[in-house]
Amino acid sequence: MTLSTHAFVLGTALCAGPLLSLTASTPAPGGIALVIAPPSVSVETLVVQSGGRIIGPFSGVFGTLALSDDPDFANDLRANGAWAVADGTLISRFCGVTI
């Protein structure tokens, strides 16, 4: 194996655990959700149609932070086109969002 192959495998292994744990978590009802959607979808429209509102200082290319009291918010987001919905509490702290 080449050095670049080793570096790629090591980088993938180091990133896989945190990414899997992030996407496996589901937001609690009334909690902050990290909404990951394709760039071809208006995330703001997706969140509003699902019964929520966007929070935070900005939205990323693929993800944004949203909030809703609806217990089916995560399921509605997925049904309306979100790739994934995860618990956004930890990420919101990094972004400086407080509710």
mmCIF file of all heavy atoms in Angstrom, residues 8-52:
data_model
loop_
_atom_site.group_PDB
_atom_site.id
_atom_site.type_symbol
_atom_site.label_atom_id
_atom_site.label_comp_id
_atom_site.label_asym_id
_atom_site.label_seq_id
_atom_site.Cartn_x
_atom_site.Cartn_y
_atom_site.Cartn_z
ATOM 1 N N PHE A 8 -5.433 7.896 3.642
ATOM 2 C CA PHE A 8 -6.869 7.897 3.375
ATOM 3 C C PHE A 8 -7.607 6.964 4.325
ATOM 4 O O PHE A 8 -8.631 7.324 4.894
ATOM 5 C CB PHE A 8 -7.142 7.494 1.922
ATOM 6 C CG PHE A 8 -8.601 7.364 1.611
ATOM 7 C CD1 PHE A 8 -9.384 8.495 1.440
ATOM 8 C CD2 PHE A 8 -9.194 6.116 1.499
ATOM 9 C CE1 PHE A 8 -10.737 8.384 1.168
ATOM 10 C CE2 PHE A 8 -10.545 5.989 1.227
ATOM 11 C CZ PHE A 8 -11.314 7.135 1.061
ATOM 12 N N VAL A 9 -7.098 5.762 4.511
ATOM 13 C CA VAL A 9 -7.732 4.789 5.405
ATOM 14 C C VAL A 9 -7.742 5.314 6.844
ATOM 15 O O VAL A 9 -8.751 5.219 7.541
ATOM 16 C CB VAL A 9 -7.029 3.418 5.310
ATOM 17 C CG1 VAL A 9 -7.509 2.472 6.392
ATOM 18 C CG2 VAL A 9 -7.252 2.811 3.930
ATOM 19 N N LEU A 10 -6.650 5.881 7.289
ATOM 20 C CA LEU A 10 -6.577 6.428 8.640
ATOM 21 C C LEU A 10 -7.550 7.593 8.810
ATOM 22 O O LEU A 10 -8.271 7.674 9.810
ATOM 23 C CB LEU A 10 -5.151 6.882 8.956
ATOM 24 C CG LEU A 10 -4.935 7.500 10.333
ATOM 25 C CD1 LEU A 10 -5.262 6.495 11.428
ATOM 26 C CD2 LEU A 10 -3.517 8.009 10.468
ATOM 27 N N GLY A 11 -7.602 8.483 7.834
ATOM 28 C CA GLY A 11 -8.524 9.622 7.904
ATOM 29 C C GLY A 11 -9.972 9.181 7.939
ATOM 30 O O GLY A 11 -10.782 9.713 8.697
ATOM 31 N N THR A 12 -10.298 8.187 7.120
ATOM 32 C CA THR A 12 -11.659 7.658 7.101
ATOM 33 C C THR A 12 -12.019 7.023 8.440
ATOM 34 O O THR A 12 -13.111 7.237 8.970
ATOM 35 C CB THR A 12 -11.817 6.623 5.968
ATOM 36 O OG1 THR A 12 -11.489 7.253 4.730
ATOM 37 C CG2 THR A 12 -13.221 6.074 5.910
ATOM 38 N N ALA A 13 -11.105 6.263 9.007
ATOM 39 C CA ALA A 13 -11.352 5.614 10.293
ATOM 40 C C ALA A 13 -11.542 6.635 11.406
ATOM 41 O O ALA A 13 -12.399 6.462 12.286
ATOM 42 C CB ALA A 13 -10.204 4.667 10.634
ATOM 43 N N LEU A 14 -10.768 7.707 11.384
ATOM 44 C CA LEU A 14 -10.886 8.728 12.422
ATOM 45 C C LEU A 14 -12.175 9.532 12.318
ATOM 46 O O LEU A 14 -12.711 9.988 13.326
ATOM 47 C CB LEU A 14 -9.683 9.675 12.367
ATOM 48 C CG LEU A 14 -8.348 9.086 12.797
ATOM 49 C CD1 LEU A 14 -7.223 10.086 12.563
ATOM 50 C CD2 LEU A 14 -8.390 8.669 14.262
ATOM 51 N N CYS A 15 -12.692 9.700 11.099
ATOM 52 C CA CYS A 15 -13.910 10.490 10.898
ATOM 53 C C CYS A 15 -15.187 9.654 10.980
ATOM 54 O O CYS A 15 -16.257 10.192 11.256
ATOM 55 C CB CYS A 15 -13.858 11.181 9.544
ATOM 56 S SG CYS A 15 -12.574 12.428 9.428
ATOM 57 N N ALA A 16 -15.097 8.375 10.738
ATOM 58 C CA ALA A 16 -16.291 7.536 10.656
ATOM 59 C C ALA A 16 -17.051 7.458 11.973
ATOM 60 O O ALA A 16 -18.278 7.571 11.979
ATOM 61 C CB ALA A 16 -15.917 6.136 10.191
ATOM 62 N N GLY A 17 -16.358 7.269 13.067
ATOM 63 C CA GLY A 17 -17.026 7.143 14.369
ATOM 64 C C GLY A 17 -17.853 8.357 14.740
ATOM 65 O O GLY A 17 -19.067 8.241 15.005
ATOM 66 N N PRO A 18 -17.253 9.549 14.764
ATOM 67 C CA PRO A 18 -18.048 10.735 15.101
ATOM 68 C C PRO A 18 -19.186 11.005 14.118
ATOM 69 O O PRO A 18 -20.272 11.397 14.538
ATOM 70 C CB PRO A 18 -17.021 11.872 15.061
ATOM 71 C CG PRO A 18 -15.712 11.214 15.294
ATOM 72 C CD PRO A 18 -15.835 9.845 14.677
ATOM 73 N N LEU A 19 -18.967 10.773 12.840
ATOM 74 C CA LEU A 19 -20.031 11.007 11.866
ATOM 75 C C LEU A 19 -21.180 10.023 12.040
ATOM 76 O O LEU A 19 -22.344 10.402 11.954
ATOM 77 C CB LEU A 19 -19.482 10.926 10.445
ATOM 78 C CG LEU A 19 -18.614 12.094 10.008
ATOM 79 C CD1 LEU A 19 -18.042 11.843 8.622
ATOM 80 C CD2 LEU A 19 -19.385 13.386 10.042
ATOM 81 N N LEU A 20 -20.873 8.773 12.296
ATOM 82 C CA LEU A 20 -21.930 7.784 12.513
ATOM 83 C C LEU A 20 -22.719 8.080 13.775
ATOM 84 O O LEU A 20 -23.942 7.953 13.801
ATOM 85 C CB LEU A 20 -21.334 6.375 12.576
ATOM 86 C CG LEU A 20 -20.890 5.792 11.246
ATOM 87 C CD1 LEU A 20 -20.186 4.449 11.457
ATOM 88 C CD2 LEU A 20 -22.062 5.633 10.303
ATOM 89 N N SER A 21 -22.041 8.483 14.848
ATOM 90 C CA SER A 21 -22.762 8.791 16.082
ATOM 91 C C SER A 21 -23.625 10.036 15.911
ATOM 92 O O SER A 21 -24.709 10.127 16.482
ATOM 93 C CB SER A 21 -21.796 8.957 17.252
ATOM 94 O OG SER A 21 -20.981 10.097 17.076
ATOM 95 N N LEU A 22 -23.166 11.000 15.121
ATOM 96 C CA LEU A 22 -23.948 12.207 14.883
ATOM 97 C C LEU A 22 -25.211 11.890 14.103
ATOM 98 O O LEU A 22 -26.298 12.315 14.465
ATOM 99 C CB LEU A 22 -23.115 13.239 14.123
ATOM 100 C CG LEU A 22 -23.840 14.517 13.704
ATOM 101 C CD1 LEU A 22 -24.204 15.330 14.938
ATOM 102 C CD2 LEU A 22 -22.983 15.324 12.773
ATOM 103 N N THR A 23 -25.095 11.124 13.034
ATOM 104 C CA THR A 23 -26.259 10.838 12.204
ATOM 105 C C THR A 23 -27.186 9.800 12.829
ATOM 106 O O THR A 23 -28.343 9.715 12.443
ATOM 107 C CB THR A 23 -25.835 10.357 10.803
ATOM 108 O OG1 THR A 23 -25.008 9.209 10.932
ATOM 109 C CG2 THR A 23 -25.103 11.447 10.058
ATOM 110 N N ALA A 24 -26.714 9.044 13.801
ATOM 111 C CA ALA A 24 -27.559 8.040 14.445
ATOM 112 C C ALA A 24 -28.416 8.636 15.555
ATOM 113 O O ALA A 24 -29.384 8.022 15.985
ATOM 114 C CB ALA A 24 -26.702 6.910 15.014
ATOM 115 N N SER A 25 -28.083 9.830 16.025
ATOM 116 C CA SER A 25 -28.848 10.443 17.103
ATOM 117 C C SER A 25 -30.093 11.113 16.535
ATOM 118 O O SER A 25 -30.080 11.673 15.446
ATOM 119 C CB SER A 25 -27.981 11.474 17.828
ATOM 120 O OG SER A 25 -27.605 12.507 16.939
ATOM 121 N N THR A 26 -31.191 11.029 17.266
ATOM 122 C CA THR A 26 -32.446 11.642 16.856
ATOM 123 C C THR A 26 -32.767 12.772 17.823
ATOM 124 O O THR A 26 -32.635 12.597 19.028
ATOM 125 C CB THR A 26 -33.580 10.605 16.884
ATOM 126 O OG1 THR A 26 -33.221 9.516 16.024
ATOM 127 C CG2 THR A 26 -34.876 11.196 16.401
ATOM 128 N N PRO A 27 -33.190 13.925 17.319
ATOM 129 C CA PRO A 27 -33.498 15.030 18.223
ATOM 130 C C PRO A 27 -34.729 14.736 19.074
ATOM 131 O O PRO A 27 -35.683 14.110 18.610
ATOM 132 C CB PRO A 27 -33.754 16.210 17.285
ATOM 133 C CG PRO A 27 -34.114 15.595 15.982
ATOM 134 C CD PRO A 27 -33.392 14.284 15.926
ATOM 135 N N ALA A 28 -34.690 15.183 20.310
ATOM 136 C CA ALA A 28 -35.838 15.044 21.195
ATOM 137 C C ALA A 28 -36.922 16.029 20.754
ATOM 138 O O ALA A 28 -36.608 17.085 20.199
ATOM 139 C CB ALA A 28 -35.419 15.335 22.632
ATOM 140 N N PRO A 29 -38.192 15.705 20.980
ATOM 141 C CA PRO A 29 -39.250 16.665 20.648
ATOM 142 C C PRO A 29 -38.993 17.986 21.368
ATOM 143 O O PRO A 29 -38.748 18.015 22.566
ATOM 144 C CB PRO A 29 -40.521 15.995 21.151
ATOM 145 C CG PRO A 29 -40.206 14.532 21.124
ATOM 146 C CD PRO A 29 -38.740 14.447 21.471
ATOM 147 N N GLY A 30 -39.013 19.073 20.620
ATOM 148 C CA GLY A 30 -38.727 20.384 21.180
ATOM 149 C C GLY A 30 -37.248 20.700 21.232
ATOM 150 O O GLY A 30 -36.853 21.786 21.623
ATOM 151 N N GLY A 31 -36.415 19.738 20.822
ATOM 152 C CA GLY A 31 -34.973 19.930 20.831
ATOM 153 C C GLY A 31 -34.462 20.442 19.501
ATOM 154 O O GLY A 31 -35.183 20.486 18.504
ATOM 155 N N ILE A 32 -33.202 20.827 19.488
ATOM 156 C CA ILE A 32 -32.579 21.350 18.279
ATOM 157 C C ILE A 32 -32.255 20.198 17.337
ATOM 158 O O ILE A 32 -31.694 19.191 17.746
ATOM 159 C CB ILE A 32 -31.305 22.137 18.620
ATOM 160 C CG1 ILE A 32 -31.658 23.324 19.527
ATOM 161 C CG2 ILE A 32 -30.596 22.601 17.369
ATOM 162 C CD1 ILE A 32 -30.453 24.045 20.076
ATOM 163 N N ALA A 33 -32.621 20.376 16.072
ATOM 164 C CA ALA A 33 -32.362 19.361 15.048
ATOM 165 C C ALA A 33 -31.339 19.886 14.055
ATOM 166 O O ALA A 33 -31.390 21.048 13.650
ATOM 167 C CB ALA A 33 -33.649 19.006 14.319
ATOM 168 N N LEU A 34 -30.404 19.022 13.676
ATOM 169 C CA LEU A 34 -29.496 19.305 12.573
ATOM 170 C C LEU A 34 -30.118 18.674 11.336
ATOM 171 O O LEU A 34 -30.272 17.457 11.258
ATOM 172 C CB LEU A 34 -28.112 18.718 12.840
ATOM 173 C CG LEU A 34 -27.115 18.785 11.682
ATOM 174 C CD1 LEU A 34 -26.832 20.234 11.301
ATOM 175 C CD2 LEU A 34 -25.830 18.070 12.045
ATOM 176 N N VAL A 35 -30.513 19.505 10.385
ATOM 177 C CA VAL A 35 -31.188 19.046 9.173
ATOM 178 C C VAL A 35 -30.171 19.024 8.041
ATOM 179 O O VAL A 35 -29.587 20.040 7.704
ATOM 180 C CB VAL A 35 -32.360 19.977 8.805
ATOM 181 C CG1 VAL A 35 -33.087 19.464 7.570
ATOM 182 C CG2 VAL A 35 -33.315 20.130 9.981
ATOM 183 N N ILE A 36 -29.962 17.848 7.466
ATOM 184 C CA ILE A 36 -29.028 17.683 6.355
ATOM 185 C C ILE A 36 -29.854 17.372 5.111
ATOM 186 O O ILE A 36 -30.586 16.380 5.074
ATOM 187 C CB ILE A 36 -28.016 16.564 6.653
ATOM 188 C CG1 ILE A 36 -27.271 16.883 7.954
ATOM 189 C CG2 ILE A 36 -27.058 16.371 5.487
ATOM 190 C CD1 ILE A 36 -26.474 15.747 8.513
ATOM 191 N N ALA A 37 -29.737 18.253 4.109
ATOM 192 C CA ALA A 37 -30.559 18.127 2.906
ATOM 193 C C ALA A 37 -29.704 18.371 1.671
ATOM 194 O O ALA A 37 -28.658 19.010 1.750
ATOM 195 C CB ALA A 37 -31.705 19.132 2.959
ATOM 196 N N PRO A 38 -30.159 17.874 0.529
ATOM 197 C CA PRO A 38 -29.402 18.111 -0.706
ATOM 198 C C PRO A 38 -29.399 19.599 -1.052
ATOM 199 O O PRO A 38 -30.335 20.327 -0.713
ATOM 200 C CB PRO A 38 -30.158 17.297 -1.751
ATOM 201 C CG PRO A 38 -31.489 17.026 -1.188
ATOM 202 C CD PRO A 38 -31.358 17.072 0.301
ATOM 203 N N PRO A 39 -28.349 20.058 -1.724
ATOM 204 C CA PRO A 39 -28.279 21.481 -2.064
ATOM 205 C C PRO A 39 -29.367 21.939 -3.031
ATOM 206 O O PRO A 39 -29.647 23.119 -3.126
ATOM 207 C CB PRO A 39 -26.894 21.643 -2.688
ATOM 208 C CG PRO A 39 -26.368 20.300 -2.932
ATOM 209 C CD PRO A 39 -27.167 19.327 -2.143
ATOM 210 N N SER A 40 -30.009 21.010 -3.720
ATOM 211 C CA SER A 40 -31.070 21.370 -4.666
ATOM 212 C C SER A 40 -32.393 21.698 -3.970
ATOM 213 O O SER A 40 -33.324 22.184 -4.599
ATOM 214 C CB SER A 40 -31.288 20.232 -5.658
ATOM 215 O OG SER A 40 -31.676 19.061 -4.968
ATOM 216 N N VAL A 41 -32.468 21.459 -2.655
ATOM 217 C CA VAL A 41 -33.686 21.695 -1.889
ATOM 218 C C VAL A 41 -33.517 22.962 -1.059
ATOM 219 O O VAL A 41 -32.470 23.189 -0.461
ATOM 220 C CB VAL A 41 -33.960 20.477 -0.959
ATOM 221 C CG1 VAL A 41 -35.092 20.762 0.003
ATOM 222 C CG2 VAL A 41 -34.242 19.240 -1.773
ATOM 223 N N SER A 42 -34.548 23.792 -1.001
ATOM 224 C CA SER A 42 -34.531 24.958 -0.125
ATOM 225 C C SER A 42 -34.755 24.467 1.304
ATOM 226 O O SER A 42 -35.853 24.024 1.649
ATOM 227 C CB SER A 42 -35.629 25.942 -0.518
ATOM 228 O OG SER A 42 -35.794 26.907 0.497
ATOM 229 N N VAL A 43 -33.704 24.537 2.124
ATOM 230 C CA VAL A 43 -33.803 24.018 3.486
ATOM 231 C C VAL A 43 -34.825 24.819 4.289
ATOM 232 O O VAL A 43 -35.566 24.264 5.092
ATOM 233 C CB VAL A 43 -32.424 24.025 4.183
ATOM 234 C CG1 VAL A 43 -32.522 23.513 5.603
ATOM 235 C CG2 VAL A 43 -31.440 23.192 3.402
ATOM 236 N N GLU A 44 -34.890 26.119 4.059
ATOM 237 C CA GLU A 44 -35.859 26.949 4.780
ATOM 238 C C GLU A 44 -37.285 26.503 4.481
ATOM 239 O O GLU A 44 -38.097 26.339 5.390
ATOM 240 C CB GLU A 44 -35.683 28.416 4.414
ATOM 241 C CG GLU A 44 -36.595 29.329 5.203
ATOM 242 C CD GLU A 44 -36.336 30.801 4.935
ATOM 243 O OE1 GLU A 44 -35.379 31.141 4.233
ATOM 244 O OE2 GLU A 44 -37.119 31.612 5.465
ATOM 245 N N THR A 45 -37.590 26.267 3.212
ATOM 246 C CA THR A 45 -38.918 25.790 2.830
ATOM 247 C C THR A 45 -39.185 24.411 3.425
ATOM 248 O O THR A 45 -40.282 24.146 3.929
ATOM 249 C CB THR A 45 -39.043 25.735 1.296
ATOM 250 O OG1 THR A 45 -38.777 27.033 0.766
ATOM 251 C CG2 THR A 45 -40.417 25.282 0.862
ATOM 252 N N LEU A 46 -38.191 23.553 3.388
ATOM 253 C CA LEU A 46 -38.311 22.206 3.946
ATOM 254 C C LEU A 46 -38.656 22.257 5.431
ATOM 255 O O LEU A 46 -39.565 21.568 5.895
ATOM 256 C CB LEU A 46 -36.995 21.446 3.734
ATOM 257 C CG LEU A 46 -36.856 20.076 4.381
ATOM 258 C CD1 LEU A 46 -37.749 19.069 3.690
ATOM 259 C CD2 LEU A 46 -35.413 19.630 4.325
ATOM 260 N N VAL A 47 -37.960 23.095 6.183
ATOM 261 C CA VAL A 47 -38.197 23.209 7.624
ATOM 262 C C VAL A 47 -39.572 23.787 7.906
ATOM 263 O O VAL A 47 -40.313 23.275 8.759
ATOM 264 C CB VAL A 47 -37.076 24.051 8.286
ATOM 265 C CG1 VAL A 47 -37.426 24.403 9.720
ATOM 266 C CG2 VAL A 47 -35.749 23.317 8.222
ATOM 267 N N VAL A 48 -39.959 24.836 7.189
ATOM 268 C CA VAL A 48 -41.271 25.461 7.411
ATOM 269 C C VAL A 48 -42.399 24.495 7.062
ATOM 270 O O VAL A 48 -43.380 24.379 7.800
ATOM 271 C CB VAL A 48 -41.377 26.782 6.612
ATOM 272 C CG1 VAL A 48 -42.795 27.322 6.635
ATOM 273 C CG2 VAL A 48 -40.408 27.813 7.170
ATOM 274 N N GLN A 49 -42.270 23.771 5.936
ATOM 275 C CA GLN A 49 -43.296 22.793 5.550
ATOM 276 C C GLN A 49 -43.424 21.668 6.561
ATOM 277 O O GLN A 49 -44.475 21.057 6.680
ATOM 278 C CB GLN A 49 -42.973 22.198 4.177
ATOM 279 C CG GLN A 49 -43.218 23.117 3.026
ATOM 280 C CD GLN A 49 -42.826 22.486 1.690
ATOM 281 O OE1 GLN A 49 -42.109 21.485 1.646
ATOM 282 N NE2 GLN A 49 -43.283 23.092 0.602
ATOM 283 N N SER A 50 -42.343 21.405 7.292
ATOM 284 C CA SER A 50 -42.353 20.328 8.276
ATOM 285 C C SER A 50 -42.794 20.810 9.648
ATOM 286 O O SER A 50 -42.825 20.036 10.598
ATOM 287 C CB SER A 50 -40.955 19.706 8.371
ATOM 288 O OG SER A 50 -40.576 19.195 7.111
ATOM 289 N N GLY A 51 -43.120 22.083 9.777
ATOM 290 C CA GLY A 51 -43.636 22.604 11.040
ATOM 291 C C GLY A 51 -42.585 23.168 11.976
ATOM 292 O O GLY A 51 -42.805 23.234 13.184
ATOM 293 N N GLY A 52 -41.460 23.594 11.442
ATOM 294 C CA GLY A 52 -40.399 24.117 12.301
ATOM 295 C C GLY A 52 -39.915 25.481 11.855
ATOM 296 O O GLY A 52 -40.487 26.100 10.962
#
